[in-house]
Amino acid sequence: MRLVVVSAGLSVPSSTRLLADRLAAAAVEGTAARVEVVELRDLAVEIAHHFTNGFPGRALGSALDAVTTADGLIVVTPVFSASYSGLFKSFFDVLDMDALAGKPVLIAATGGSARHSLVLEHALRPLFAHLRAVVVPTGVYAASEDWGAEGLADRIDRAAAELRSLMTALTAAAGTATEAAGTAGTEGVGAVATGGSREPGPAGPVPAAKPPVPCGTAPAASARTVSGGGFEVVPFEQQLAALRP
């Protein structure tokens, strides 16, 4: 499995990146999942250019591919004006509309006050629901006073466990579907179609089907059995002549 973390923190060090790292560590605990971090701060110029020329730069293109092919996402944004940051929204604006369909996503945010904790529900969750992602039930908001206080670690562990369960289940389901498709493909080898179904039979060319009888023509007039088990096709003009009084 591959987990991609999208962090929209602007400062260095960043509380947004710190929360992202803690969520990622908890999500992959006990698994062999690989973690890749996308720092949007480093892509700000390329994101702006993408809006004006319609083409992603090399670094932005790699980040978009990473998000598109990930088995799960952790997305973390600082709160600006009671919502996600413009840089965070801009990145997902240039992402293909279908890129996150069915993908597990853990939403998180950081802010200076606990009064902005509902940003998860009124901004982030609707955004990723619109993108048809599968958003885990527990979101994580960390205000300045939450760092080092009780409660944040529990929320991180609960949200990470939900994401891990979704990623594991969806990855297993995808593997089962691929295996089933491969098995179905091998079962058809050496089979002969009969009556709308497939039955085991020796490999080789399928015998030629009997030529169709034109509508309104008597079967006996359309073809005659000849020696050797084959058919002699009667031209349509002869069939019409045979039907005339």
Side-chain angles (χ1 to χ4, degrees):
M1 294 190 300
R2 190 162 65 91
L3 174 65
V4 172
V5 180
V6 178
S7 172
L10 298 180
S11 60
V12 180
S14 165
S15 60
T16 300
R17 176 61 187 270
L18 176 60
L19 179 59
D21 289 343
R22 289 187 59 176
L23 287 167
V28 300
E29 184 178 0
T31 73
R34 295 178 292 114
V35 178
E36 181 176 345
V37 179
V38 175
E39 278 281 8
L40 299 187
R41 176 173 51 85
D42 300 331
L43 303 174
V45 174
E46 290 193 17
I47 291 173
H49 286 170
H50 190 293
F51 278 111
T52 58
N53 61 30
F55 297 97
R58 180 174 299 178
L60 177 58
S62 297
L64 294 174
D65 288 341
V67 169
T68 301
T69 58
D71 295 304
L73 293 179
I74 294 175
V75 297
V76 192
T77 178
V79 174
F80 288 167
S81 300
S83 186
Y84 36 64
S85 70
L87 179 60
F88 181 87
K89 180 62 163 56
S90 296
F91 176 77
F92 290 101
D93 281 343
V94 300
L95 188 67
D96 186 85
M97 180 63 187
D98 297 324
L100 300 187
K103 197 181 300 295
V105 176
L106 190 165
I107 56 175
T110 59
S113 169
R115 291 177 296 177
H116 291 308
S117 59
L118 287 178
V119 68
L120 298 174
E121 305 304 325
H122 75 70
L124 271 76
R125 196 176 297 275
L127 170 62
F128 290 97
H130 172 71
L131 296 174
R132 293 180 294 154
V134 181
V135 185
V136 302
T138 302
V140 179
Y141 178 82
S144 298
E145 60 266 26
D146 288 328
W147 298 102
E150 295 182 2
L152 179 60
D154 292 338
R155 296 199 303 275
I156 289 174
D157 289 341
R158 183 167 64 249
E162 293 169 354
L163 178 65
R164 183 170 58 248
S165 297
L166 268 177
M167 290 175 59
T168 302
L170 291 177
T171 301
T176 301
T178 302
E179 182 179 352
T183 302
T186 57
E187 287 178 349
V189 177
V192 179
T194 57
S197 61
R198 299 187 64 85
E199 297 178 356
V206 179
K210 180 179 177 179
V213 179
C215 181
T217 303
S222 62
R224 297 192 299 272
T225 304
V226 297
S227 60
F231 293 94
E232 178 186 3
V233 177
V234 179
F236 185 62
E237 292 79 3
Q238 296 184 24
Q239 298 177 36
L240 289 178
L243 293 175
R244 293 191 184 101

